[in-house]
Amino acid sequence: MTTTTSAKPVLITGGTGKVGSRLIPRVLSQGDAVRALVRDPESEAALRLRAAGAELVVGDLATLDAAGFKDVVDGTSAVIHLAATFRDAPTPERATAVNTDATTALAEAALDAGVTRFVFASTNLVYGAGHHAPQDEQTELGPIAWGGPYPESKVAAEKSLQDLRIRRGLDLRVVRLAFVYGDGDPHIEEFMQRPLDWHSSRRLQMVHHADVAQGVLLALRAEGLSGEVFNIADDSAATLAEIYRYVGRELTPEMAERDVTEPWFGIVQNGKARRVLGYRPLYPTMWQAVDAGAM
């Protein structure tokens, strides 16, 4: 990665979330200043960010008004927008308010402040269901089959941001993240608590936190990419059987008798990120992260 130190900080929303709390130390280690948007500046996660060198700014995307958004983004060099509501089973109204409307308001405030570069963290779930091969960035989005209102609100946010790019010159880069794991993140264990009716051969497309950081920073720093979308993912998805083995759970014979449904759901290609950004996963598979002690 090329290091570009700016006197102005990069604004990163969702600073204390699973992705943000692991991304920000990596950004700081590259020499960039960071302003982290947090809801509770006295939380353990926020205090760790402050100790690492991040500037904290307090705000909740769900309640900020136009003046609040302006204060958050004023004096920054770029925005990495990670914050979203997802794991709290949001209602469609809350998902729209936080993931779509607040995203649009933040981008508009950034433009008003003269901050044009905007990296938006979306999800591979936006591709939906009904595909017959791995999805690339040109794949038509299918019907949303899993994830509730979260992926729908992300689709709407992407469309809104692309409209701002056309109308107002937003220098937009969208990174569609696969299932994020590693660095002590309990995401895999939380996923395994869900009721699953998958065949044991069904696969989950994943991406390690270190590679999220790589993809996000490459998208942030590259020139001439306004409006481009990139899948950020491992090279190879893990089967449910492999995930069971990793967490120490036994497969049941019944799992192998289930119908194989939607075998390509969420399975994406990262070839565009490789070609355009120079993205190369540090952990191409989950098992390489396990072997490296990076889980």
Side-chain angles (χ1 to χ4, degrees):
M1 282 183 207
T2 302
T3 301
T4 56
T5 303
S6 171
K8 294 182 178 180
V10 176
L11 172 66
I12 301 181
T13 68
T16 58
K18 286 184 169 67
V19 176
S21 62
R22 292 165 174 83
L23 173 67
I24 288 173
R26 288 184 164 98
V27 177
L28 290 166
S29 73
Q30 296 288 317
D32 292 277
V34 171
R35 177 183 296 173
L37 177 64
V38 301
R39 285 183 291 183
D40 179 5
E42 300 305 319
S43 69
E44 184 177 337
L47 293 174
R48 283 198 298 268
L49 295 179
R50 181 184 287 137
E55 170 197 351
L56 302 187
V57 59
V58 180
D60 186 333
L61 290 177
T63 59
L64 281 174
D65 58 13
F69 279 111
K70 181 180 183 299
D71 289 342
V72 165
V73 78
D74 242 3
T76 62
S77 61
V79 177
I80 298 173
H81 183 39
L82 306 175
T85 182
F86 172 43
R87 293 184 178 86
D88 298 329
T91 63
E93 293 77 16
R94 178 167 174 77
T96 297
V98 176
N99 299 345
T100 306
D101 296 344
T103 295
T104 304
L106 176 64
E108 289 176 332
L111 287 166
D112 290 344
V115 181
T116 59
R117 187 154 300 186
F118 196 99
V119 179
F120 177 58
S122 189
T123 169
N124 64 329
L125 296 177
V126 300
Y127 291 107
H131 301 291
H132 304 290
Q135 292 104 70
D136 64 21
E137 294 81 357
Q138 299 302 312
T139 300
E140 183 176 351
L141 305 186
I144 301 299
W146 187 87
Y150 171 71
E152 293 178 348
S153 64
K154 286 290 192 177
V155 171
E158 286 193 26
K159 291 178 178 177
S160 179
L161 293 173
Q162 292 287 4
D163 178 64
L164 281 176
R165 175 184 63 84
I166 294 168
R167 290 192 297 108
R168 297 193 58 190
L170 186 69
D171 188 3
L172 173 67
R173 296 98 195 281
V174 176
V175 288
R176 291 175 177 164
L177 305 180
F179 181 100
V180 184
Y181 75 101
D183 278 6
D185 186 341
H187 201 185
I188 292 176
E189 289 76 12
E190 291 170 354
F191 173 76
M192 293 300 292
Q193 294 173 13
R194 296 174 177 269
L196 294 173
D197 60 358
W198 289 10
H199 189 280
S200 53
S201 67
R202 176 105 172 243
R203 295 175 296 159
L204 180 67
Q205 187 79 62
M206 305 169 78
V207 60
H208 192 279
H209 277 286
D211 291 317
V212 171
Q214 180 192 172
V216 166
L217 288 174
L218 287 168
L220 173 71
R221 291 168 176 165
E223 298 297 332
L225 295 181
S226 185
E228 296 289 347
V229 178
F230 299 96
N231 292 330
I232 304 299
D234 287 356
D235 287 341
S236 181
T239 65
L240 186 61
E242 289 178 295
I243 297 170
Y244 263 62
R245 177 157 62 94
Y246 167 69
V247 299
R249 288 176 57 175
E250 293 290 330
L251 296 171
T252 65
E254 179 269 337
M255 294 176 66
E257 297 170 359
R258 296 171 181 169
D259 291 336
V260 180
T261 59
E262 292 291 344
W264 297 109
F265 178 77
I267 305 302
V268 298
Q269 297 178 354
N270 63 20
K272 181 180 177 182
R274 284 177 166 274
R275 293 190 308 273
V276 177
L277 299 178
Y279 172 77
R280 298 292 185 273
L282 300 171
Y283 303 108
T285 71
M286 180 188 75
W287 289 114
Q288 284 166 295
V290 171
D291 289 344
M295 297 296 286

